[in-house]
Amino acid sequence: MNWEDLKYFVFVARGKTLEHAAHALKVDKATISRRVKRLEESLGKTLFERSRKGFTLTHQGEKLYKNVQQVDFELSKIENDQPETPDFITGNIRISVAEGFGASLMVDAIAAFHKANPFIEIDLVSGSGFLSLSRREADMAISLSRSKSRLIHSKPLVNYRLSLYAHKDYPRLKEISEVADLSDHTLMSYIDDLVYAPELNYFENIFPNFSATIRCSSILAKRQLVLLQTGLAILPSFLATDEMIEILPKEISLERTFWLQTHRAFLGTARCRLLTNHLNNMLSHTL
């Protein structure tokens, strides 16, 4: 078995496509495919199931990936234990965050961090869903729930509040004095089968007798629809603008926590400590 082939195997297992692995390793897809096939032949095992959607690990592939992960973890610790000059810390940090958080608070946090640490490269991955830290798709994540993986260090970062919002010029505001009055208004929620975290399943708990008229996978789309006076939506307070107003804040109010998650192999690096301290200092006074 060629140990170099294992590197190609790991990147395909993480990204689930040849394109992802080729981009990460800066080689062509044919090289990736050839290396993976050679590894399978040397082991006499099929490691991936191929389909139009990409590469899925077989049972044998999962077993190999689990073992390789541990080796990768130990090698990463050795690499990250190398001393870094305090005044010249370099390297890359890939951090995965939720869409709304990434488009608002995280933008300001990264701008300030870059100004103070210009030699550290940042990959900010913001969207509906999170990259996997266990599969080393990212170094850090700010997520909605605590990871149960032993490979991940988790700590609460900041609490935030959600309320029902409308545009301040929403034409029917005066009609709303209690929750029952919302029954004939346009309410917006997430799309049930596309919700990527259970912490986002709050619509039915708050409105058990109502149905959403508009459903969006994007929280930024919901905010924009509120600004267009299309209807009402539950949004985090940090996404509210001066043009919005809370509706029934005493009756409709939720609190959630953002968790800062870090892969343990990355936890001891100077750049990780810098970003962790920066986020703690900046966000503890924000929400």
Side-chain angles (χ1 to χ4, degrees):
M1 179 175 61
N2 187 319
W3 284 100
E4 186 73 9
D5 292 341
L6 282 173
K7 179 173 70 174
Y8 292 84
F9 162 76
V10 166
F11 276 85
V12 174
R14 288 177 184 167
K16 300 182 180 180
T17 66
L18 294 179
E19 289 81 1
H20 180 279
H23 177 75
L25 293 168
K26 295 179 173 58
V27 298
D28 58 80
K29 292 190 295 182
T31 299
I32 303 287
S33 180
R34 185 173 63 253
R35 291 278 196 157
V36 170
K37 186 176 181 180
R38 185 169 71 179
L39 178 62
E40 289 180 318
E41 290 175 348
S42 68
L43 295 173
K45 299 173 182 177
T46 301
L47 302 175
F48 293 102
E49 291 180 0
R50 280 83 165 169
S51 70
R52 291 182 178 180
K53 294 182 178 180
F55 284 56
T56 303
L57 287 168
T58 62
H59 176 65
Q60 295 295 334
E62 288 282 3
K63 288 175 61 177
L64 177 61
Y65 184 70
K66 183 178 180 180
N67 291 330
V68 173
Q69 261 195 313
Q70 188 59 41
V71 174
D72 182 53
F73 176 64
E74 297 299 333
L75 291 175
S76 295
K77 285 202 302 183
I78 294 172
E79 178 183 344
N80 290 329
D81 281 342
Q82 299 303 312
E84 297 177 84
T85 305
D87 296 329
F88 192 73
I89 296 174
T90 63
N92 177 269
I93 302 174
R94 172 170 286 195
I95 183 165
S96 176
V97 300
E99 179 192 30
F101 188 90
S104 54
L105 300 177
M106 200 62 184
V107 171
D108 294 333
I110 292 301
F113 182 79
H114 174 68
K115 186 175 181 179
N117 305 277
F119 299 107
I120 297 178
E121 299 175 1
I122 298 290
D123 294 339
L124 177 62
V125 184
S126 174
S128 297
F130 298 97
L131 298 182
S132 170
L133 298 188
S134 297
R135 300 175 75 90
R136 299 304 304 274
E137 294 173 352
D139 304 305
M140 304 173 73
I142 297 176
S143 58
L144 301 173
S145 57
R146 183 176 187 174
S147 173
K148 297 180 181 179
S149 171
R150 64 182 182 82
L151 297 174
I152 309 304
H153 177 268
S154 301
K155 60 175 292 185
L157 178 62
V158 66
N159 295 330
Y160 67 100
R161 194 168 62 86
L162 299 106
S163 297
L164 183 67
Y165 284 93
H167 191 280
K168 63 182 181 180
D169 295 327
Y170 182 69
R172 301 171 59 194
L173 277 180
K174 294 182 179 180
E175 300 176 7
I176 304 172
S177 60
E178 58 182 30
V179 174
D181 295 334
L182 298 170
S183 61
D184 62 344
H185 288 261
T186 297
L187 299 175
M188 293 177 277
S189 73
Y190 286 107
I191 302 171
D192 290 344
D193 59 338
L194 296 180
V195 170
Y196 59 89
E199 290 77 14
L200 298 177
N201 287 320
Y202 42 69
F203 185 90
E204 290 185 356
N205 293 330
I206 295 176
F207 304 119
N209 300 316
F210 299 162
S211 296
T213 307
I214 297 176
R215 290 170 286 276
C216 304
S217 63
S218 166
I219 195 169
L220 296 181
K222 285 199 294 183
R223 180 178 69 169
Q224 188 61 26
L225 286 166
V226 169
L227 290 171
L228 292 172
Q229 302 183 37
T230 306
L232 316 177
I234 297 173
L235 298 169
S237 58
F238 59 80
L239 284 183
T241 72
D242 293 339
E243 296 178 282
M244 294 182 189
I245 186 171
E246 288 184 71
I247 306 298
L248 305 174
K250 292 183 179 180
E251 293 87 346
I252 304 173
S253 181
L254 297 168
E255 186 173 285
R256 292 287 188 270
T257 300
F258 278 121
W259 290 79
L260 181 60
Q261 321 257 32
T262 308
H263 196 285
R264 291 190 180 277
F266 184 72
L267 191 60
T269 64
R271 58 191 185 277
C272 174
R273 291 193 297 271
L274 280 174
L275 183 56
T276 299
N277 291 337
H278 175 77
L279 293 174
N280 284 328
N281 292 334
M282 189 165 185
L283 294 177
S284 61
H285 306 294
T286 301
L287 305 182

